[in-house]
């Protein structure tokens, strides 16, 4: 069953199967350990994530990219 992507046009975390959103004033940082927790949800098809740098972005896509039909708010930091 395909996900209706029109559901993901806003940042409402409740619309996503997994939300890894950092709350820090500066946006926070997602670490590999945060990304590795995705393995606990093998049936998840949508992900909201923040706080990625280039290394963690590549790690996310390499390890879990094929799992998701929708990924939102990937912000690559410095």
């Amino acid at each position: 069953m395909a996900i209706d992507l029109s559901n993901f046009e806003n940042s409402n975390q409740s619309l996503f199967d997994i939300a890894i959103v950092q709350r820090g004033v500066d946006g926070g940082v997602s670490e590999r350990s945060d990304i590795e927790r995705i393995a606990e949800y093998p049936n998840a098809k949508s992900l909201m994530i923040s706080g990625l740098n280039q290394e963690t972005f590549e790690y996310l896509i390499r390890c879990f990219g094929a799992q998701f039909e929708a990924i939102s708010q990937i912000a690559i930091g410095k």
Side-chain angles (χ1 to χ4, degrees):
M1 182 173 164
I3 291 177
D4 178 2
L5 294 179
S6 65
N7 291 338
F8 303 103
E9 292 175 353
N10 67 56
S11 58
N12 184 342
Q13 292 181 27
S14 68
L15 296 175
F16 294 81
D17 295 328
I18 301 173
I20 303 173
V21 179
Q22 303 305 321
R23 301 279 183 209
V25 173
D26 63 353
V29 176
S30 290
E31 304 288 339
R32 279 186 177 221
S33 59
D34 298 317
I35 295 168
E36 289 167 353
R37 293 184 52 223
I38 293 171
E40 299 172 19
Y41 305 94
N43 296 320
K45 296 294 180 196
S46 59
L47 170 67
M48 174 184 279
I49 190 164
S50 69
L52 297 176
N53 60 30
Q54 186 65 38
E55 180 185 340
T56 53
F57 168 74
E58 290 176 7
Y59 181 74
L60 167 67
I61 298 305
R62 184 173 56 252
C63 295
F64 298 102
Q67 175 177 335
F68 295 102
E69 295 178 20
I71 299 175
S72 181
Q73 289 194 354
I74 295 180
I76 300 174
K78 295 179 182 179

